[in-house]
Amino acid sequence: QLQLVESGGGLVQPGGSLRVSCAASGSRLDYYDIGWFRQAPGKEREGVSCIHSNMYSKYGDSVKGRFTISRDSAKNMVYLEMNSLKPEDTGVYYCSAKWNPVSTICTIVPQHWRNEYWGQGTQVTVSS
């Protein structure tokens, strides 16, 4: 059974950087898309970024140019590097794994990940 654990969240000032990690156990991630999602209090879950096993990646408009997703197959890990952070980036960040041996792209539409594997989340707070 695939399990995901996020880490690396914390408090950072506006304009700062943070890297959150997603560690997988129980299965290799080779044929899984990995997505990062976030949820702020009172708001719906939002797709942030995803990465396919072929390294295709996609970003939400609000983070494009500031966030970078990457994956390390040897370590079975996925990372989200976040730069130029803004207060509106605050939220709980979740990673999710979606079995995808057929398509060559990934999606960040939250509804498409509803029944997939999820981690417990890590809190990111951007505040001065």
Side-chain angles (χ1 to χ4, degrees):
Q1 179 80 357
L2 179 62
Q3 293 185 317
L4 303 172
V5 178
E6 302 92 337
S7 62
L11 173 64
V12 62
Q13 291 187 342
S17 299
L18 204 61
R19 187 179 80 161
V20 290
S21 302
C22 176
S25 62
S27 177
R28 298 287 309 166
L29 293 178
D30 296 350
Y31 290 102
Y32 286 89
D33 294 342
I34 303 299
W36 280 100
F37 300 82
R38 67 187 180 190
Q39 190 163 19
K43 293 190 176 182
E44 292 189 354
R45 192 164 294 190
E46 174 190 9
V48 176
S49 181
C50 68
I51 186 166
H52 190 280
S53 56
N54 63 9
M55 298 304 179
Y56 167 91
S57 60
K58 185 174 179 66
Y59 298 91
D61 289 341
S62 62
V63 306
K64 208 170 290 184
R66 299 188 297 121
F67 289 13
T68 303
I69 192 170
S70 62
R71 63 193 296 165
D72 186 331
S73 297
K75 295 182 178 179
N76 225 27
M77 298 275 296
V78 178
Y79 307 98
L80 185 69
E81 186 77 35
M82 304 182 290
N83 298 313
S84 302
L85 282 161
K86 305 175 182 180
E88 50 264 43
D89 293 319
T90 294
V92 179
Y93 282 68
Y94 300 90
C95 67
S96 181
K98 181 181 175 68
W99 177 253
N100 182 14
V102 178
S103 175
T104 56
I105 63 172
C106 57
T107 170
I108 56 172
V109 177
Q111 291 88 335
H112 294 175
W113 297 72
R114 189 180 300 131
N115 298 317
E116 308 303 333
Y117 297 98
W118 288 85
Q120 84 291 345
T122 185
Q123 176 70 45
V124 172
T125 302
V126 185
S127 175
S128 54

